[in-house]
Amino acid sequence: MAVAATLGEQDKQGQPIPLPPLRDELLLHSAPPDHHGNPRWTLEDPARNRFFQIGWAEMEMLARWSLGEAQAVADAAGAATTLELTAEDVVTFARFLVGSNLTQTRGAEAMARLAEQAKAGRMGWAKWLLKNYLFVRLPLVRPDPWLGRALPYLRFIYTSGFFWVTLAAGI
């Protein structure tokens, strides 16, 4: 069973399935309020250079994520704030985190899901050409041969003596 599909569901013994652990390198920054004045935060994924805007409810869930279970996170957030979160709200946010690869992945099934996402992200040559046709390099001048021939005659410019003479002439 995929992690995203089983989040918040209960197994055969009636025990809730734990929330997936968040990746350790994620960073959280305060962000400007939204157009209604509600507080916002930016969740940064430095490994992929991706940024996600989250609101107050998501921030409260993240603050209590270490509780490890959807209902416990919802209850703790509801007790500490005026938010009325349900376990389904936490599960929905957990699915977003899993889908955005912000959680730790373990096991062969998780690795297969990541490989499938990487394969889906690759583009074919026709799509690459369509997106990059303006950035084809056509060199007009190749200066390396000339610079290689001129280097023995201009090497004196890169000495400390030349630096001090230039500095003295400038003063």
Side-chain angles (χ1 to χ4, degrees):
M1 248 188 254
V3 172
T6 61
L7 280 173
E9 296 174 8
Q10 297 190 349
D11 65 7
K12 303 288 186 225
Q13 292 81 19
Q15 297 295 324
I17 294 176
L19 295 173
L22 296 173
R23 290 189 10 230
D24 294 331
E25 68 272 10
L26 298 178
L27 302 171
L28 194 62
H29 309 285
S30 61
D34 66 7
H35 61 281
H36 294 295
N38 298 322
R40 306 290 289 174
W41 287 267
T42 301
L43 185 60
E44 178 185 356
D45 180 1
R48 296 184 308 141
N49 197 30
R50 301 277 315 264
F51 300 87
F52 303 91
Q53 290 285 316
I54 61 172
W56 180 34
E58 292 82 9
M59 175 60 186
E60 293 297 336
M61 286 185 247
L62 284 178
R64 292 155 182 82
W65 201 260
S66 62
L67 295 174
E69 197 271 317
Q71 191 60 51
V73 170
D75 292 343
T81 66
T82 58
L83 290 170
E84 295 178 8
L85 296 176
T86 64
E88 188 57 38
D89 295 331
V90 178
V91 168
T92 302
F93 184 54
R95 285 188 179 128
F96 162 75
L97 294 172
V98 169
S100 300
N101 296 323
L102 299 175
T103 57
Q104 295 177 12
T105 55
R106 293 189 177 108
E109 189 174 306
M111 293 304 156
R113 182 176 49 84
L114 290 175
E116 185 179 317
Q117 285 179 349
K119 187 178 178 182
R122 292 189 196 121
M123 63 175 84
W125 67 270
K127 191 172 184 180
W128 179 89
L129 186 61
L130 181 64
K131 288 182 171 246
N132 296 297
Y133 72 95
L134 293 176
F135 301 103
V136 175
R137 287 186 182 194
L138 297 174
L140 300 176
V141 178
R142 297 185 188 269
D144 286 342
W146 179 83
L147 291 172
R149 288 192 308 272
L151 182 62
Y153 302 107
L154 300 174
R155 193 178 302 267
F156 73 94
I157 293 174
Y158 300 103
T159 63
S160 61
F162 184 81
F163 171 75
W164 290 113
V165 169
T166 304
L167 186 63
I171 293 175

